[in-house]
Amino acid sequence: MQTIEKMLEKRHLKMLSFVAMAAVLFIAVQPDVAHAGTGGTEFDEVWEALKDWTEGTLGRVVAGAMILVGIVGGVARQSLMAFAVGIGGGMGLNYSPTVVESIMTATITGISSTPEIVSNTAGLITASVGLGM
């Protein structure tokens, strides 16, 4: 009985030391300062070409082909689901550059005045609780 307890205790200590070493390694690898979204202007021409392709005539042709294949697949399977997937794929192709640009260029605006935010938040909380007067 005591040997099983010692074996479990050794296993527990090994696991604990592994987790501690992993945590130390994780902290040591973390960078001091992160620089996200700076530079990268050398790929602007490539992005503009891809954007023009997807939003231009080529994108419309591919989106139309997706819808056409969806119609054919829907008729073959006797289901409208393939048609819906074709329309969704075409819309996704057309709007994907706009979505990518809005995600990659998202900025956080500065706070104009803290008291205004606090009063707005307090009003929102009382309205949501139902204690608005």
Side-chain angles (χ1 to χ4, degrees):
M1 189 63 128
Q2 197 157 8
T3 57
I4 295 174
E5 289 177 2
K6 286 184 180 181
M7 191 170 76
L8 289 175
E9 186 177 328
K10 286 181 183 180
R11 184 180 266 175
H12 179 70
L13 287 175
K14 284 182 183 180
M15 181 60 81
L16 186 63
S17 64
F18 175 76
V19 170
M21 289 176 65
V24 169
L25 182 64
F26 178 76
I27 291 170
V29 173
Q30 293 297 315
D32 291 336
V33 178
H35 299 283
T38 59
T41 57
E42 51 274 343
F43 295 107
D44 283 347
E45 293 177 20
V46 175
W47 173 249
E48 289 300 322
L50 288 173
K51 182 179 172 185
D52 290 342
W53 289 346
T54 55
E55 290 180 343
T57 306
L58 177 65
R60 289 183 186 140
V61 168
V62 171
M66 286 179 172
I67 293 170
L68 194 61
V69 168
I71 290 172
V72 171
V75 168
R77 294 184 184 154
Q78 297 180 354
S79 169
L80 289 175
M81 208 53 207
F83 174 65
V85 169
I87 288 180
M91 288 175 57
L93 178 70
N94 188 29
Y95 291 113
S96 61
T98 307
V99 171
V100 169
E101 281 184 347
S102 66
I103 290 172
M104 294 300 176
T105 59
T107 57
I108 299 174
T109 59
I111 298 174
S112 59
S113 66
T114 306
E116 179 182 330
I117 292 174
V118 170
S119 66
N120 289 342
T121 307
L124 185 65
I125 291 172
T126 54
S128 66
V129 173
L131 300 176
M133 296 181 201

